[in-house]
Amino acid sequence: MMTPSVPQLPLEAYRRLLDIARDLAATLDLESLLHRIVTAAAELSDAEAASILLYDPQRKILHFQTATNLSGALQETMQVPLEGSLAGLALRRRRPVRRQHAHTDPDHYGHLDKLTHIATESLIAVPLIANGEPIGVLEAVNKRSGAFSDADEEILTVLGAQAAVAIQNARLFLQADLIAELVHEVRTPLGAILAATQLLRFPQISEAQRRQAIDAIEREARYLNELTTTFLDLAALESGRARFHRERFAVAPLVDEVLQLFAAEIEAAGLTVETAIPHDLPPLEADRGKIKQVLINLVSNAIKYNRPGGKIRVAAYRENGHLVVTVSDTGVGIAPEHLKHLFEKFYRVPGSAQRATGSGLGLYICKRIVEAHHGHIRVHSKPGEGTTFIVDLPLTP
Ligand SMILES: Nc1ncnc2c1ncn2[C@@H]1O[C@H](COP(=O)(O)OP(=O)(O)OP(=O)(O)O)[C@@H](O)[C@H]1O
Ligand SMILES: [Mg+2]
């Protein structure tokens, strides 16, 4: 006796696999593609949940990239070890692993079941192979009725191959894109450094010219140094390699720490700084280092685009279960037509290059970080009067 759904399954599977294959070449939106792959994996194999885990060779762990049943916040913190997990076993063996009673298997990593509140019964895990190297695992857990079959393994293997191609494509594309941009950004400061060193070779230059050349070399080298860090951060964020480590911390000392970093610059520009942070402000639960990075860019912008003798104000307050941090300046301001582009990658308001060095990546990175914390970043500005950036973060994730 056949159940009514059986004859339709291969056709449906075939159609879904073709659909995904068609999009594979066309889409660059890795996240939505991977999400469709795990959804198809769960539905076609009749599993309770499916997920894609990516391998981090440095830390010898697999971390969740996409899953049908996990919230973003939970997913970010979940990982399984390479040794001592069935997903790890599939990756190490480079072969699918299928279990009917995973929880009794010595290789099963039981810790996750507690976090997800799913008791893993049956499991099937296939390795994702790109260029002959295992890069991750596609797994489906808890077949709704019966046991995972050869057909399920076949379907997951095909979906896994598609996921591997998608991940590989996205990584290559990102690399090429970022390398092109980095080369472009690096040219101008390198040119300035070369010009200054050539000038220093002339014995007859004045002391003032000599000092200027050395200052230029130092300034541009510092900028190149910052630029490399920015690009590494960006590459990590965009490839999904950036991991967020949540901790509880007070905002006021963090703001002081950031302002301290800029103390010399603030003094040199004759700027005054004011902070308004209440003593009873609740602590934030977030990645402290990444939130610091957001504040560093906002304060650096408030300095770079201020007027001599201007003001900077950093305030924080609580509002409906959110923590709001604002950074305001009395600078040049931003005209309305530029506001909507401000958070785009590499966007700089025309004329900014004459005012200050920058790559136009800072606000884009801020937005990525704030949104990874389920928060928002906004801006208000009046040309000629000043600008305020408003970061809004949920107090509990
Ligand atoms: N406080 C501000 N006042 C006026 N304009 C601003 C302010 N902050 C940002 N901008 C404008 O927005 C652009 C983008 O800012 P963003 O921080 O992304 O880049 P950047 O400061 O130019 O370079 P980077 O941060 O990568 O060193 C700036 O180039 C500038 O034109
Ligand atoms: Mg900036």
Side-chain angles (χ1 to χ4, degrees), residues 48-310:
E48 201 176 306
S51 45
I52 286 173
L53 296 91
L54 291 185
Y55 179 49
D56 178 343
Q58 258 125 43
R59 295 164 61 208
K60 297 226 178 315
I61 53 140
L62 287 144
H63 60 80
F64 280 78
Q65 173 70 22
T66 314
T68 54
N69 62 328
L70 301 176
S71 73
L74 190 56
Q75 196 174 301
E76 271 159 27
T77 53
M78 289 207 342
Q79 50 194 43
V80 299
L82 181 65
E83 309 272 345
S85 72
L86 289 166
L89 187 65
L91 189 106
R92 282 183 286 140
R93 286 196 186 157
R94 303 179 180 215
R95 271 194 281 117
V97 165
R98 213 196 305 173
R99 294 285 185 274
Q100 182 60 12
H101 302 290
H103 57 287
T104 58
D105 195 293
D107 274 315
H108 176 55
Y109 184 62
H111 177 61
L112 282 190
D113 291 3
K114 291 185 206 112
L115 285 176
T116 55
H117 305 295
I118 288 185
T120 307
E121 288 289 336
S122 52
L123 173 145
I124 182 164
V126 302
L128 312 180
I129 313 275
N131 278 348
E133 286 300 314
I135 57 167
V137 173
L138 168 65
E139 69 175 23
V141 296
N142 295 351
K143 178 102 174 161
R144 290 186 198 276
S145 64
F148 282 119
S149 62
D150 288 348
D152 294 333
E153 188 173 311
E154 187 67 32
I155 285 168
L156 253 67
T157 303
V158 176
L159 285 169
Q162 294 182 325
V165 171
I167 293 162
Q168 180 84 341
N169 276 351
R171 284 182 177 170
L172 289 174
F173 182 81
L174 186 76
Q175 261 177 27
D177 193 35
L178 276 182
I179 289 171
E181 290 296 348
L182 181 62
V183 168
H184 175 80
E185 289 296 318
V186 152
R187 276 212 179 118
T188 318
L190 277 183
I193 290 176
L194 279 176
T197 52
Q198 272 156 14
L199 187 69
L200 286 175
R201 284 190 197 283
F202 286 104
Q204 67 271 37
I205 57 169
S206 70
E207 182 56 25
Q209 279 175 314
R210 204 180 66 87
R211 219 175 302 125
Q212 254 177 22
I214 290 173
D215 284 351
I217 292 172
E218 186 178 345
R219 188 181 59 240
E220 299 300 333
R222 273 185 204 284
Y223 175 60
L224 283 173
N225 193 21
E226 257 173 48
L227 199 63
T228 10
T229 317
T230 307
F231 267 82
L232 286 176
D233 290 344
L234 183 68
L237 279 171
E238 300 224 312
S239 66
R241 275 186 292 109
R243 310 259 41 100
F244 288 77
H245 305 284
R246 282 178 195 281
E247 57 179 303
R248 214 176 247 279
F249 60 90
V251 175
L254 179 64
V255 168
D256 287 342
E257 215 174 289
V258 170
L259 291 172
Q260 201 51 43
L261 286 176
F262 291 103
E265 259 175 80
I266 288 171
E267 200 189 322
L271 300 170
T272 48
V273 179
E274 180 190 309
T275 56
I277 304 175
H279 294 297
D280 58 351
L281 196 69
L284 197 56
E285 202 174 315
D287 187 312
R288 192 178 192 272
K290 298 236 166 32
I291 299 299
K292 182 172 175 179
Q293 217 181 322
V294 170
L295 291 175
I296 286 179
N297 185 52
L298 295 182
V299 170
S300 129
N301 285 352
I303 298 169
K304 289 199 290 190
Y305 307 108
N306 220 316
R307 58 177 164 75

